[in-house]
Amino acid sequence: MSPAQHTALLAAGEAGEHRTLIIILFSVFVAATLVITVWAGRQTKDAADFYAGGRQFTGFQNGLAVSGDYMSAASFLGIAGAIALFGYDGFLYSIGFLVAWLVALLLVAEPLRNSGRYTMGDVLAYRMRQRPVRTAAGTSTIVVSIFYLLAQMAGAGVLVSLLLGITSDGGKIGIVALVGVLMIVYVTIGGMKGTTWVQMVKAVLLIAGALLLTFLVLLKFDFNISDLLGSAASNSGKGSAFLEPGLKYGATGTTKLDFISLGIALVLGTAGLPHILIRFYTVPTAKAARKSVLWAIGLIGAFYLMTLALGFGAAALIKPDEITASNKAGNTAAPLLALHLGGVDSNWGAILLATISAVAFATILAVVAGLTLASSSSFAHDIYANVIKRGTATEKQEMSAARYATVGIGAVSILLGALARDLNVAGLVALAFAVAASANLPTILYSLFWKRFTTAGALWSIYGGLVTAVGLVLFSPVVSGKPSSMFPDVDFHWFPLENPGIISIPVGFLLGVVGTLLSKEEPDKAKYAELEVRSLTGTGAH
């Protein structure tokens, strides 16, 4: 047996005591979060409670929940794996995810909170024709959320399969289904209140787990970062190239373009992510919305700095073939790092592996709950209540529709997550960012800041950006044509880049302008003036 296979078997918990410990820790967390969800569910009385948590959370609480919503499986598993395998180029994900928060803070956080009630569609439809714009906003929200859910499902399947020694495809699909069922329970019972408290608990656990691993990695190298980086470069087999740009992006013209595309998608995508945008509705004032973003930036920034230690620590202590033997996309680098830091074949190694894996599983459950809530809320509030029922639905009917939508979205996510289980979760999240930046961000900015913008422009921008982004992804190497693709045995790709942002984001912005200029519709200037005052001052906000 090779060392790589040996490590993979140990990490999978082949020893019964390890597996028992892992199951106990996982069960404790799931039970604790279910208790929180049931408790919050009993306090959910109306639509404001279900969609926005009653707008009762403080800036700090919401900032903690936002960071919990944002620091997903991509952050903990995907970025650590990308750094462990590609060094400097892997860390670019961390930089992009962090810088994106400045765009969200400066452009959308406060105006969005002041202008809407529950969903992104509230803002977009404020001065335009309700039914077509809400239909487009709901469709876009659901598509973006499902792309993001793919990453979480893939991360869950990989993580639990590793720990419980499940190697069959059927077993991995069963794990994805289990996560899907749990997320349906969280949302249907707890709504936004339950989801927010779970995200707050998860954020504390994740930061504590990352801090522990960071301390242990630095302790291993006597707090000498130069030694850590040198050992990572040497152990990676790539030498100094591991610490320089170009290992993943930059070798060819195509990979350079892919890097630019990835960077644009990451920086602009956050401001268009539905599950992040709806978090601004959970605070009572615009000042609290600003505070929550500032808290989130601080917490997320500290966490992403720690991903340096996680990724380079894994590269320094574990051979690349051991990481890829466990998961070819590198998603298990952080749990394997925990095993090595505690000691392979030791009880401490098993305890640390189980603890960090339980934290990662907590991360996945919290994020999938937030994503599912965003998409089901948009379906119920935008499509069902305002399009199908034309504003006549009662709050009870609307909340029932949201719960049914949760089940449907969960089923679709389970199916697609099973197909995406071998893809790098950070890469999958980057695709969601590209779709959000292509379809949602242009329309949000034009609605808030361009007086001439019309319904036609909004529809062109949302549907045009959405179709372009999703279409390019379907015909990219992510889906077919490479050993690491979703369908590695077939090849129907013609778009060379793995991230469509460099094409689809400008298309989304451009189509918003073209649709507006070609439209004969006269914009409602009075409504725009009202929206402008409301978005900037909070006057008349819910």
Side-chain angles (χ1 to χ4, degrees), residues 443-469:
T443 321
I444 292 170
L445 295 181
Y446 287 151
S447 294
L448 290 172
F449 303 114
W450 187 20
K451 185 186 298 185
R452 176 75 176 81
F453 196 49
T454 64
T455 300
L459 299 180
W460 278 50
S461 183
I462 292 176
Y463 287 127
L466 194 64
V467 170
T468 303

Side-chain angles (χ1 to χ4, degrees), residues 59-71 94-110 203 207 267 270-271 276 279-280 288-306:
F60 171 71
Q61 287 175 325
N62 193 48
L64 195 59
V66 167
S67 62
D69 215 359
Y70 194 68
M71 296 183 299
S94 289
I95 297 171
F97 285 146
L98 179 57
V99 171
W101 267 105
L102 296 177
V103 179
L105 172 64
L106 296 174
L107 293 180
V108 303
E110 185 177 344
I207 292 171
V267 170
T270 297
I276 298 297
R279 291 235 53 90
F280 298 133
R290 289 194 301 273
K291 269 189 179 178
S292 64
V293 178
L294 290 171
W295 273 110
I297 288 175
L299 293 168
I300 291 166
F303 174 79
Y304 282 133
L305 282 176
M306 289 188 281

Side-chain angles (χ1 to χ4, degrees), residues 19-321:
R19 186 175 300 166
T20 301
L21 176 64
I22 291 163
I23 292 173
I24 289 171
L25 281 171
F26 273 48
S27 300
V28 166
F29 177 77
V30 171
T33 53
L34 285 174
V35 168
I36 293 171
T37 301
V38 172
W39 166 76
R42 289 178 177 174
Q43 301 180 52
T44 300
K45 307 299 182 186
D46 55 22
D49 287 334
F50 186 84
Y51 292 136
R55 310 191 202 284
Q56 296 172 349
F57 293 100
T58 66
F60 171 71
Q61 287 175 325
N62 193 48
L64 195 59
V66 167
S67 62
D69 215 359
Y70 194 68
M71 296 183 299
S72 64
S75 304
F76 196 52
L77 302 177
I79 293 177
I83 295 174
L85 296 179
F86 301 108
Y88 179 94
D89 282 11
F91 186 57
L92 294 173
Y93 281 103
S94 289
I95 297 171
F97 285 146
L98 179 57
V99 171
W101 267 105
L102 296 177
V103 179
L105 172 64
L106 296 174
L107 293 180
V108 303
E110 185 177 344
L112 197 79
R113 186 260 161 212
N114 291 340
S115 306
R117 288 183 67 210
Y118 302 133
T119 67
M120 179 183 73
D122 287 334
V123 178
L124 303 186
Y126 190 82
R127 62 188 183 98
M128 298 174 193
R129 297 200 309 275
Q130 292 275 319
R131 297 183 73 203
V133 171
R134 284 190 183 275
T135 301
T139 302
S140 177
T141 295
I142 292 169
V143 172
V144 172
S145 296
I146 286 176
F147 262 94
Y148 213 118
L149 277 167
L150 287 183
Q152 312 311 314
M153 296 297 203
V158 165
L159 181 69
V160 184
S161 298
L162 166 78
L163 294 170
L164 301 184
I166 296 172
T167 56
S168 68
D169 287 338
K172 293 177 182 178
I173 292 170
I175 292 164
V176 171
L178 173 64
V179 174
V181 170
L182 283 172
M183 81 181 184
I184 291 169
V185 170
Y186 286 152
V187 174
T188 53
I189 295 176
M192 178 58 87
K193 282 189 175 180
T195 298
T196 299
W197 281 106
V198 169
Q199 287 165 345
M200 288 164 61
V201 171
K202 165 258 171 154
V204 172
L205 289 174
L206 182 61
I207 292 171
L211 194 60
L212 174 62
L213 287 185
T214 299
F215 175 77
L216 292 175
V217 166
L218 294 177
L219 183 65
K220 191 90 170 175
F221 292 92
D222 298 322
F223 294 90
N224 189 318
I225 295 176
S226 179
D227 283 354
L228 168 62
L229 297 177
S231 297
S234 175
N235 198 50
S236 71
K238 306 292 193 309
S240 60
F242 191 73
L243 304 178
E244 298 171 358
L247 201 59
K248 181 174 175 61
Y249 302 107
T252 65
T254 299
T255 56
K256 289 177 182 177
L257 278 176
D258 218 354
F259 166 64
I260 296 171
S261 188
L262 172 69
I264 294 171
L266 293 181
V267 170
L268 297 180
T270 297
L273 290 174
H275 69 298
I276 298 297
L277 297 179
I278 66 170
R279 291 235 53 90
F280 298 133
Y281 298 132
T282 65
V283 291
T285 64
K287 183 178 180 181
R290 289 194 301 273
K291 269 189 179 178
S292 64
V293 178
L294 290 171
W295 273 110
I297 288 175
L299 293 168
I300 291 166
F303 174 79
Y304 282 133
L305 282 176
M306 289 188 281
T307 61
L308 270 172
L310 301 182
F312 285 113
L317 299 175
I318 313 167
K319 290 291 184 184
D321 61 338

Side-chain angles (χ1 to χ4, degrees), residues 417-430:
L419 294 173
R421 61 187 179 275
D422 289 328
L423 302 181
N424 183 278
V425 290
L428 284 172
V429 165

